[in-house]
Amino acid sequence: QLQLQESGPGLVKPSETLSLTCTVSGGSITNRGYYWGWIRQPPGKGLEWIGNIYYSGSTSYNPSLKSRVTISVDTSKNQFSLKLSSVTAADTAVYYCARQGDYWKSSDPWGQGTLVTVSS
Amino acid sequence: DIQMTQSPSSLSASVGDRVTITCRASQTIKSYLTWYQQKPGKAPKLLIYAASSLQSGVPSRFSGSGSGTDFTLTISSLQPEDFATYYCQQSYSTLFTFGPGTKVDI
């Protein structure tokens, strides 16, 4: 059974870079037909798609975040990562990683999510 | 960007009720519409993809319909475990966007 798990610091200072890793277990990140994505949810608010990556390294980003976001993949570790630079309090959110099918692009499964707070 | 709206934003219902949630896209998204269920403190769970295809393991009381710009999620007989927030999401454009959510409570 495929499982995803986010990891990384829960507290980041304003203007610094948020870095998270998603570890995939129970399956290979190089399986064709799937993208690997990041979604976030500010406390008490709705969901926002950040971007995704194919195992080959091809990426797609939310234009509103594109100048600050980098998603990368490490196939040797079966992991993919998110970096978000120049963070502000508005970036405080639960960050989820998820697998996305390459046709309908639905996300399943999801990681449990990790809360990242931006504060000095 | 394709904007997604949902109605109602919240609703109160009882066990056994038939519940319908509507999602509308600002332009056609064909059938690239997914429904998720989210309970407090948990990750969203995929219910319906391709507008009307039931995800494996999801109870048959959940169903989806629609295409183009107007979509519906129906719960035929609400169960206690169905009290949650429901989100629609389009994946027709390269920028995936979610609806604002519909909270279903007692």
Side-chain angles (χ1 to χ4, degrees), chain A residues 35-42 46-54 58-66 69 71 80 82 94-101 105-107 110, chain B residues 1 36 88-91 93-99:
Chain A
Y35 288 79
W36 305 90
W38 290 96
I39 303 103
R40 70 179 183 179
Q41 185 172 36
L47 299 160
E48 180 181 34
W49 180 76
I50 299 171
N52 63 22
I53 190 166
Y54 199 58
S58 174
T59 55
S60 182
Y61 298 136
N62 186 325
S64 70
L65 300 170
K66 188 173 184 177
V69 171
I71 297 176
F80 61 107
L82 168 70
V94 175
Y95 286 76
Y96 297 101
C97 58
R99 183 184 69 173
Q100 297 164 348
K105 306 291 196 302
S106 298
S107 295
W110 295 57
Chain B
D1 300 358
Y36 300 94
C88 60
Q89 178 222 323
Q90 67 80 20
S91 52
S93 70
T94 54
L95 169 56
F96 304 161
T97 47
F98 292 87

Side-chain angles (χ1 to χ4, degrees), chain B residues 16-55:
Chain B
D17 283 353
R18 182 182 181 87
V19 169
T20 299
I21 299 168
T22 297
C23 176
R24 177 166 289 175
S26 60
Q27 64 187 73
T28 183
I29 57 170
K30 297 188 177 181
S31 294
Y32 288 83
L33 192 283
T34 300
W35 289 99
Y36 300 94
Q37 174 195 67
Q38 187 179 34
K39 296 181 179 179
K42 300 294 186 182
K45 172 187 174 184
L46 172 60
L47 298 177
I48 303 282
Y49 65 96
S52 60
S53 296
L54 191 68
Q55 174 70 354

Side-chain angles (χ1 to χ4, degrees), chain A residues 22-115:
Chain A
C22 183
T23 300
V24 179
S25 59
S28 174
I29 204 168
T30 60
N31 280 350
R32 294 177 185 271
Y34 295 105
Y35 288 79
W36 305 90
W38 290 96
I39 303 103
R40 70 179 183 179
Q41 185 172 36
K45 297 188 179 180
L47 299 160
E48 180 181 34
W49 180 76
I50 299 171
N52 63 22
I53 190 166
Y54 199 58
Y55 78 93
S56 62
S58 174
T59 55
S60 182
Y61 298 136
N62 186 325
S64 70
L65 300 170
K66 188 173 184 177
S67 63
R68 299 193 291 131
V69 171
T70 302
I71 297 176
S72 59
V73 64
D74 186 337
T75 56
S76 67
K77 295 182 179 179
N78 226 33
Q79 295 175 334
F80 61 107
S81 299
L82 168 70
K83 292 188 185 298
L84 181 65
S85 64
S86 304
V87 298
T88 69
D91 295 310
T92 294
V94 175
Y95 286 76
Y96 297 101
C97 58
R99 183 184 69 173
Q100 297 164 348
D102 72 345
Y103 191 77
W104 296 109
K105 306 291 196 302
S106 298
S107 295
D108 178 74
W110 295 57
Q112 65 183 27
T114 187
L115 174 63

